[in-house]
Amino acid sequence: MKKFVVTIAGGGSTYTPGIIQMLLENQDRFPLKEIKLYDNLASRQEPIAKAMQIYVRDNYPDVTISYSTDPKMAFTGVDFVMAQIRVGLYDLREKDEKIPLKYNVVGQETCGPGGIAYGLRSIGGVLEILDYMEKYSPDAWMLNYSNPAAIVAEATRRLRPDSKIINICDMPVAIETIFAAILDLPSRKDMIVRYYGLNHFGWWTSVTDKSGNDLMPKLREFVEQKGYAAETDDYQHRAQSWKDTYKKAKDVQALDPETLPNTYLKYYLFQDDIVMHEDKNFTRTNEVQATREKEVFAKAHKIIEADSAKGISFATGSPHASFIVDLACAIAFNTQERMLLIVPNNGSILNFDQTAMVEVPCLVGKNGPEPLAMGNIPTFQKGLMEQQVAAEKLAVDAWIEGSYSKLWQAITMSKTVPSAGVAKQILDELIEANKQFWPELK
Ligand code: NAD
Ligand code: G6P
Ligand code: MN
């Protein structure tokens, strides 16, 4: 069987060890020749890379791990690029969260003004990696986790329409892992789902077992009581703030009891409540720095100091890492697996903008994703999605045109923002914070 070469872009990401471990563990179905790490910040990438080299030397001596900040080295001879970069690092994520909060507006990595600000940083970074891949490995596929996936996807649809990039999100798979736990099923793969929406903005309309039996009644009964507060071994979503988010799904679900919501909808539907309960001096960035980032780098340093990875494991069972490996397999071996991906609408949602990047079930094979037809959507969802997709499209317009007014419109359009006046105040502070990363706005 062919052995694959995979580049992980954003090699210094807190998710890199988990993805590497998952890749290594799945070699019976996806054999590896080499994993190359690429990052534009050597000091961030080095500890992760060195630790993972020791881990591989001790456990999988047939696989090579290399790392570089040189695009030619990192992107030559590659089959897949798995990207997870964070342009501006946690410093800027913290500002994305804290600046809107000063105005009592949701401060979030991917939602509201913070998400839009992050979008304007990410577009350039993701396009750069995509261009490196196409220059040095024109046949490769890029599987992109880099956020905000909705805005990045709209930008790549418009600016690189022929590129082999698939934008993905782990939230639906994490929630489906919870569904499986609620239903006492061994795996989320024992269910067949229907779902539609935008990234971080969607709804399940059907969940059945493999025989087609309706599982929605049992799920609804649970969610009406407890939201998504069920036990799984998902490492990332164990943090207190994620537990709160999972509980809050109860209130979000109550708005449309026929469906089951994506957790992120809380930021658009209960924005006042979210802001009221947020600690404006200690946001999710600070929590991540104190937990995941600290733990991952501590493990890396421990491995390096001991020159041994004995007894150390990185987040096994994480839906995040297994999902990206499944996607690579689906493309490499034309498995036609059914997966939720962010793709151009093109008829999947009938009564919605055909040019929008939507999140829907797709069959995935060697030519990429083929979206399934989700049909017409109801007025409530359609209205919300039209407003949100307009905000996302305006943000991409603003980046392409360097337009202040388009960006002001984008922030004003977000349902998290109460007025154009507040939008302008937030925008002006975000411009100051993002000087190094944003195009100049006129
Ligand atoms: P992190 O800051 O730990 O890692 C990001 C890495 O990217 C850093 O090492 C940084 O140096 C590097 N980087 C930044 N700009 C770069 C560029 N232009 N070229 C190459 N490398 C660059 O962040 P994290 O918390 O591990 O998250 C990584 C990314 O994955 C974020 O964008 C996050 O939002 C995303 N993510 C997405 C999903 C999803 O559902 N789509 C899920 C989890 C994480
Ligand atoms: C979920 C989302 C991702 C997001 C992540 C944030 O997994 O799907 O898009 O990046 O949560 O996680 P964090 O733990 O960094 O707040
Ligand atoms: Mn996501």
Side-chain angles (χ1 to χ4, degrees):
M1 206 175 1
K2 177 186 158 88
K3 291 190 168 191
F4 293 92
V5 180
V6 174
T7 293
I8 299 184
S13 157
T14 56
Y15 294 93
T16 296
I19 289 178
I20 293 178
Q21 189 172 327
M22 190 57 68
L23 280 166
L24 293 166
E25 285 173 9
N26 278 278
Q27 287 195 80
D28 53 334
R29 57 179 182 137
F30 190 78
L32 294 167
K33 186 166 152 208
E34 183 177 359
I35 299 173
K36 295 163 169 254
L37 303 189
Y38 168 76
D39 205 288
N40 66 355
L41 183 59
S43 59
R44 173 89 182 179
Q45 174 165 256
E46 207 174 85
I48 303 265
K50 287 193 163 153
M52 294 320 287
Q53 283 181 326
I54 294 168
Y55 183 86
V56 164
R57 180 201 68 196
D58 290 355
N59 297 293
Y60 301 89
D62 296 342
V63 182
T64 310
I65 294 207
S66 61
Y67 64 100
S68 178
T69 53
D70 173 14
K72 188 172 176 196
M73 294 262 290
F75 292 92
T76 302
V78 166
D79 300 299
F80 288 96
V81 173
M82 299 182 176
Q84 37 171 358
I85 62 168
R86 185 184 291 288
V87 178
L89 304 168
Y90 288 127
D91 283 353
L92 267 289
R93 176 178 177 177
E94 187 178 10
K95 292 192 173 136
D96 294 341
E97 291 165 353
K98 290 184 178 172
I99 291 172
L101 276 173
K102 279 207 242 171
Y103 301 90
N104 290 317
V105 168
V106 165
Q108 215 283 322
E109 181 195 25
T110 63
C111 303
I116 292 171
Y118 187 17
L120 265 77
R121 294 197 300 277
S122 272
I123 294 171
V126 171
L127 292 179
E128 185 178 82
I129 288 171
L130 189 54
D131 292 346
Y132 290 146
M133 179 185 89
E134 293 188 333
K135 179 169 175 196
Y136 296 114
S137 291
D139 294 330
W141 280 88
M142 178 161 153
L143 315 181
N144 181 52
Y145 263 134
S146 313
N147 264 323
I151 291 173
V152 168
E154 170 63 10
T156 54
R157 180 191 72 84
R158 252 199 268 176
L159 300 169
R160 299 291 184 278
D162 301 321
S163 292
K164 291 205 271 184
I165 177 170
I166 305 179
N167 294 287
I168 59 174
C169 174
D170 65 8
M171 197 72 251
V173 287
I175 296 172
E176 287 173 18
T177 305
I178 289 173
F179 291 170
I182 294 169
L183 296 164
D184 263 332
L185 292 171
S187 155
R188 66 179 168 83
K189 292 185 182 176
D190 297 316
M191 303 175 297
I192 297 168
V193 309
R194 290 174 65 80
Y195 176 100
Y196 68 82
L198 309 168
N199 177 236
H200 289 184
F201 207 97
W203 294 263
W204 281 267
T205 55
S206 161
V207 179
T208 69
D209 65 16
K210 285 274 173 76
S211 315
N213 297 309
D214 188 4
L215 303 174
M216 286 292 267
K218 190 165 176 203
L219 287 172
R220 266 190 221 114
E221 195 187 299
F222 185 97
V223 178
E224 277 163 17
Q225 304 284 326
K226 298 186 182 165
Y228 293 152
E231 284 303 315
T232 69
D233 58 2
D234 178 351
Y235 168 82
Q236 178 196 359
H237 299 112
R238 233 170 23 191
Q240 189 50 50
S241 61
W242 274 108
K243 287 189 175 152
D244 296 344
T245 294
Y246 281 168
K247 271 195 217 128
K248 190 72 189 166
K250 174 185 164 177
D251 297 344
V252 181
Q253 199 261 348
L255 250 133
D256 179 20
E258 290 305 301
T259 59
L260 295 168
N262 193 299
T263 44
Y264 278 90
L265 287 162
K266 75 169 190 174
Y267 295 109
Y268 303 93
L269 299 173
F270 292 95
Q271 55 281 65
D272 51 351
D273 179 61
I274 301 300
V275 168
M276 207 184 347
H277 290 101
E278 190 77 57
D279 180 346
K280 293 179 182 165
N281 299 310
F282 191 85
T283 55
R284 177 62 186 153
T285 300
N286 307 116
E287 190 184 35
V288 169
Q289 288 171 319
T291 53
R292 185 174 71 239
E293 186 189 38
K294 200 168 145 209
E295 287 159 21
V296 165
F297 282 88
K299 272 190 196 172
H301 288 298
K302 204 171 146 195
I303 292 173
I304 295 166
E305 271 154 38
D307 192 26
S308 161
K310 232 190 174 123
I312 294 182
S313 156
F314 289 94
T316 38
S318 126
H320 177 90
S322 63
F323 186 62
I324 202 166
V325 177
D326 287 346
L327 180 56
C329 281
I331 295 168
F333 302 110
N334 199 32
T335 64
Q336 301 296 323
E337 185 169 342
R338 183 168 167 147
M339 309 181 84
L340 289 188
L341 303 171
I342 303 160
V343 292
N345 185 11
N346 280 342
S348 175
I349 305 173
L350 270 179
N351 55 345
F352 191 63
D353 186 341
Q354 295 304 307
T355 72
M357 292 302 284
V358 296
E359 199 166 85
V360 289
C362 301
L363 300 181
V364 190
K366 73 175 169 44
N367 298 318
E370 213 175 322
L372 298 175
M374 293 297 109
N376 286 310
I377 60 172
T379 307
F380 176 62
Q381 279 82 0
K382 184 166 178 279
L384 289 170
M385 280 166 60
E386 276 168 353
Q387 180 174 10
Q388 177 62 15
V389 87
E392 290 162 3
K393 281 180 177 282
L394 285 163
V396 175
D397 289 340
W399 189 87
I400 294 172
E401 298 165 23
S403 164
Y404 180 95
S405 56
K406 289 275 169 71
L407 197 53
W408 185 14
Q409 290 170 7
I411 295 177
T412 303
M413 187 67 74
S414 173
K415 199 172 175 328
T416 60
V417 176
S419 78
V422 172
K424 191 169 197 307
Q425 285 176 293
I426 295 174
L427 172 57
D428 290 340
E429 278 206 46
L430 287 171
I431 290 175
E432 205 41 46
N434 283 281
K435 264 194 189 134
Q436 233 186 299
F437 302 98
W438 282 6
E440 199 190 330
L441 300 176
K442 286 187 221 71

